[in-house]
Amino acid sequence: MGKLKRWLVFGGLATIALVASYSLFRYLEHQAMHSIPAGFSRFDVSAPIPRCGRWKDHMPSTRDAVVYERYIAARKLWRSKIEWQLTLQETQSIFADVSFAAGRGDWGAKALLAYFYLNGLGPMPSNHVVGQEASKAVAIAQQAAAAGQPWGIYDLGVAHQHGYGGAHYDLDLVWAYYLKAAQMGSPEAQMALAEAYGGAGRLDDEEAMLLCAFGQEHGAAAYQLGLQARIMRQYPKALATYQAGVKFGCKDCADALYLLFTEGYWGTAKPAEIQVLSALGVVADPERSARYEAISNALQINPDLKLGRLDEFLPLPPAKLPEWRGVSDVITPEPDGPPTY
C-alpha cells in the first residue's frame, strides 16, 4: 500500500506539473499573440497626434517597367467594366497577370492580389476565378508589413479588427497597427485616427489627420472635409474641396456636386443659404450637373481614374463652361518616363 500511495502522489504531482506547464504555455502564447509588436506603440486618443507621414516615402525608388506594364494592363482590364460583365477569359487573364507581377515583387500588384483573395474575383459562375481566401490576403499583408509597407500594416489592423484570416480580434493591436500605418502615411489609417479624434471631441486634430490624407489625394478625406465645410456653412471651402476630391477620383464628391447643380443648393437649404450660394454663382445648371453625373458614372466603374484636367473642362462658377467631348477630356494624361509608385 505504501508503494501504491507513493505512485499515486507522484502521478498527482506529475499531472499538476503537466497542467501547470500547459497553462504557462497557453499564457505565454496568449501574451505573444496580444503583445504590441516591437517598434509599435499603443494608441492613446488623448496623446499628441502623429506626424503627417506620406506613404510614397516608403516605396522603392525604382519599379520594373516590364512587370509594371503587365500589372497595370491587367488592372485596367479589371476596371474597364463592372466585374460581373467580365468574361472568364478576362478574369483568368487578370488573375494570372496580377499574380505574375506580385511574384516579381511589384507592391501594387501584391496589394491588388491581396484584395482579390479577400473579396474574390469573378462574382458570377460564368467568370469565377478565385473565392474568398482571407488567410492568403493576410499573409500578403504580413509580408508587406514586414517590408515596411504602410498599406500592409493598415490591412493587418483591419484583419485584427474583424478577426479574419487567422488574425485574432484585439482592439489594442488594431489601433497600434493603425497608429503605425498613419505615421508611415497610410491615408486609410489617417482617416481611422481622424474618426477616433473626432469621437473624443478633438475636432482640430480630426481635421489635421483628414488634411494629412487629403494632402495625399485621398478622395474619402476630400469628401469628409467637404461635408464638414458644408455643415459649417463654409460654402466656398466646400466647393473647392469637393472639386479637388473629384480630381482625386472621389465618386462621392462628384455626386455632391451633381446634386448641388441639379437644384442649385444642397438638400433643404434655407433661403439665406441659397442666397450665399447664388452669390458664388451656384444655381441650377443642367449642363454642369450632367457632366458631374457622367464623371460619377465613370468612377463607379473605374475608381482608379484621376481627373487632373477637371478645372479646364468643368470649372467651378462663376467660370463659364467650355465645350467638352466627355469624361475623357478631364482624365490626367499618362505620365512619361519610367513607372514609379
Side-chain angles (χ1 to χ4, degrees), residues 55 59-60 63 68 71-72 75 98 101-102 105-115 149 151 341:
W55 67 268
M59 303 303 292
R63 196 171 192 178
Y68 169 78
Y71 153 65
I72 205 64
R75 188 179 183 102
V98 171
D106 188 280
W107 286 111
K110 287 179 184 288
L112 184 54
L113 184 61
Y115 177 89
Q149 293 293 305
W151 66 265
Y341 288 97

Side-chain angles (χ1 to χ4, degrees), residues 2-3 6 30 102 108 113 116 128 167 176 226 242 277 289 299:
K3 183 180 290 187
R6 285 196 299 274
H30 181 273
L113 184 61
F116 288 155
H128 181 73
Y242 281 142
L277 287 167
S289 176
L299 291 170

Side-chain angles (χ1 to χ4, degrees), residues 34-54:
H34 293 268
S35 295
I36 303 297
F40 289 61
S41 303
R42 191 177 300 277
F43 176 66
D44 180 356
V45 75
S46 64
I49 66 173
R51 67 182 184 87
C52 192
R54 292 179 54 81

Side-chain angles (χ1 to χ4, degrees), residues 110-111 114-115 118 137-138 140-142 144 149-161 164 167 177-178 181 186 188:
K110 287 179 184 288
Y115 177 89
L118 189 60
V138 170
I140 294 173
Q142 289 172 332
Q149 293 293 305
W151 66 265
I153 297 170
Y154 172 76
D155 281 3
L156 285 182
V158 175
H160 281 290
Q161 184 171 7
Y164 60 69
Y177 278 113
Y178 287 170
S186 162
E188 293 84 2

Side-chain angles (χ1 to χ4, degrees), residues 17-162:
L18 182 62
V19 170
S21 296
Y22 178 73
S23 297
L24 178 60
F25 170 77
R26 291 305 302 269
Y27 170 77
L28 294 174
E29 182 182 49
H30 181 273
Q31 288 295 101
M33 289 175 62
H34 293 268
S35 295
I36 303 297
F40 289 61
S41 303
R42 191 177 300 277
F43 176 66
D44 180 356
V45 75
S46 64
I49 66 173
R51 67 182 184 87
C52 192
R54 292 179 54 81
W55 67 268
K56 287 187 177 182
D57 294 341
H58 302 277
M59 303 303 292
S61 58
T62 60
R63 196 171 192 178
D64 188 306
V66 174
V67 172
Y68 169 78
E69 289 299 331
R70 189 162 168 181
Y71 153 65
I72 205 64
R75 188 179 183 102
K76 286 180 177 178
L77 175 57
W78 175 54
R79 292 300 201 188
S80 66
K81 58 187 80 172
I82 301 172
E83 193 170 316
W84 61 264
Q85 296 175 326
L86 295 167
T87 67
L88 178 61
Q89 183 179 7
E90 286 172 330
T91 53
Q92 287 175 334
S93 173
I94 291 165
F95 187 71
D97 288 346
V98 171
S99 297
F100 166 82
R104 293 287 295 271
D106 188 280
W107 286 111
K110 287 179 184 288
L112 184 54
L113 184 61
Y115 177 89
F116 288 155
Y117 281 131
L118 189 60
N119 297 280
L121 175 62
M124 307 296 290
S126 59
N127 68 2
H128 181 73
V129 173
V130 61
Q132 293 177 317
E133 301 180 51
S135 60
K136 290 185 178 181
V138 170
I140 294 173
Q142 289 172 332
Q143 181 189 31
Q149 293 293 305
W151 66 265
I153 297 170
Y154 172 76
D155 281 3
L156 285 182
V158 175
H160 281 290
Q161 184 171 7
H162 298 282

